[in-house]
């Protein structure tokens, strides 16, 4: 079972069950429509983010690479 544990923008925990309205991360989700993530949602590690012509890639040293969508 995969659940988001940490906000991938601010690194703060999100409620179990995933992001929800009123959890305080609305601004993060709005920003994330424009920005790459900064933290791994599973382990809260800082990710290595590279902006590419097509968007971005973000790599967690433990969980591998994340891409938009
Ligand atoms: Zn957040
Ligand atoms: Zn990770």
């Amino acid at each position: 079972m995969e659940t988001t544990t940490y906000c991938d923008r601010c690194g703060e925990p999100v409620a179990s069950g995933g992001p929800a309205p009123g959890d305080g991360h609305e601004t993060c989700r709005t920003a994330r429509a424009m920005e790459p993530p900064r933290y791994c949602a599973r382990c809260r590690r800082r990710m290595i983010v590279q902006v590419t012509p097509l968007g971005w890639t973000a790599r967690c040293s433990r969980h591998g690479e994340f891409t938009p969508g």
Side-chain angles (χ1 to χ4, degrees):
M1 188 171 74
E2 301 278 338
T3 57
T4 299
T5 307
Y6 301 104
C7 177
D8 62 5
R9 181 169 183 264
C10 70
E12 294 299 315
V14 295
S16 61
D23 67 0
H25 294 286
E26 288 92 345
T27 55
C28 297
R29 285 194 287 276
T30 300
R32 280 279 289 105
M34 305 291 292
E35 299 176 4
R38 297 175 188 178
Y39 296 89
C40 179
R42 297 183 199 171
C43 68
R44 205 181 186 177
R45 280 177 168 76
R46 271 281 217 163
M47 297 199 290
I48 299 165
V49 178
Q50 290 188 306
V51 177
T52 70
L54 296 177
W56 49 263
T57 61
R59 173 172 287 279
C60 170
S61 61
R62 187 182 186 101
H63 293 108
E65 197 164 274
F66 296 83
T67 55

